[in-house]
Amino acid sequence: DVAVHPRFCVELADGAAMTLVESQSGEGAGLINGVLDLRLGSASSLTHVIERRFAETALIQRTTARVADAANYRAFVLDGGGRMTRQDLVAELVSPGATAGITGVATLTDRSLVDYHTAIEHRVGPTESHESFRILADDRAVGIFNGRIHIVPGADDSHSQMNTGNLLLSESARINIKPELEIHAEEVTASHGATIGQLDDDARFYLRSRGLSDEQATALLKYGFAAAVFDTMAPGALRDWLTARLKEHL
């Protein structure tokens, strides 16, 4: 039940490779107000995993990744929500050949509030990015996703893709999404897609006809929808741990 204000800075040397895992949880009613600065050197690679779930804790965090030439930044997010979570996640592609990817899922219940604001800044070309984010909201939970792709003047030959898919699991839950494309350069490709829906009754009926209970069928459909975002993650212990945590969240 206290307020903490951590600031971390991670710098990767040229050609370095690193996996950074943030695992955050707590039962108290305090405040976490954090800043994380990531700076990737030439031809470096950073896999950044954020896994969190709170009860009454309020969290505000800004994460900025500055990606140099031929470097690769990949973020994987699993957020179970809490009283209030606000995450700003920014990837700045500042040199030719830089790439970035943001992949995430939020699983919300009770009165959780999760507010995600992401931005991918294409400062030069050629650069490349992709983003996929999903929210599952149940009970009286509220999920917000604002994703922005910005291609500045002169960042020609940049390529970006964003997709967000969301599930409303109760009549009282709310999901607000706003994908943004701001393009000021020529010869680029950029796209976005956004959907909000509910579980497919036909799919649930099919699973029940194969012997599953309604609870099991619902759980399987929710897991399949959420886990799909981690398909791009390299197989291994980290992916196994993250999908196991996803099952616990659900």
Side-chain angles (χ1 to χ4, degrees), residues 71-138:
N72 179 36
Y73 171 72
R74 298 288 304 279
F76 296 93
V77 177
L78 173 58
D79 201 316
R83 182 171 56 129
M84 192 279 286
T85 297
R86 167 65 186 256
Q87 172 73 66
D88 286 2
L89 180 55
V90 181
E92 298 178 350
L93 309 179
V94 298
S95 300
T99 60
I102 298 174
T103 302
V105 59
T107 60
L108 311 180
T109 58
D110 299 324
R111 291 179 175 268
S112 295
L113 169 62
V114 163
D115 186 3
Y116 266 77
H117 290 246
T118 68
I120 299 178
E121 301 281 345
H122 291 258
R123 300 293 186 187
V124 300
T127 50
E128 185 172 342
S129 70
H130 61 85
E131 183 169 6
S132 179
F133 206 94
R134 298 189 174 186
I135 299 175
L136 295 83
D138 205 345

Side-chain angles (χ1 to χ4, degrees), residues 1 4 106 137 170 184 202 211 214 227 229:
D1 295 339
V4 293
S170 78
H184 301 279
D202 291 340
D214 185 61
V229 299

Side-chain angles (χ1 to χ4, degrees), residues 11-18 39-46 68-72:
E11 297 187 21
L12 268 68
D14 295 348
M18 178 182 180
R39 302 170 188 175
L40 282 67
S42 175
S44 64
S45 176
L46 175 59
D69 57 292
N72 179 36

Side-chain angles (χ1 to χ4, degrees), residues 123-189:
R123 300 293 186 187
V124 300
T127 50
E128 185 172 342
S129 70
H130 61 85
E131 183 169 6
S132 179
F133 206 94
R134 298 189 174 186
I135 299 175
L136 295 83
D138 205 345
D139 303 322
R140 299 180 64 86
V142 178
I144 301 168
F145 173 75
N146 192 116
R148 179 171 179 261
I149 295 171
H150 184 203
I151 303 178
V152 305
D156 298 339
D157 199 27
S158 293
H159 305 280
S160 188
Q161 183 179 22
M162 175 170 51
N163 180 272
T164 174
N166 307 273
L167 280 182
L168 284 168
L169 301 173
S170 78
E171 294 183 357
S172 300
R174 287 187 294 151
I175 297 176
N176 301 311
I177 55 175
K178 187 173 76 166
E180 300 179 22
L181 297 180
E182 186 175 345
I183 302 171
H184 301 279
E186 303 292 338
E187 300 180 4
V188 304
T189 58

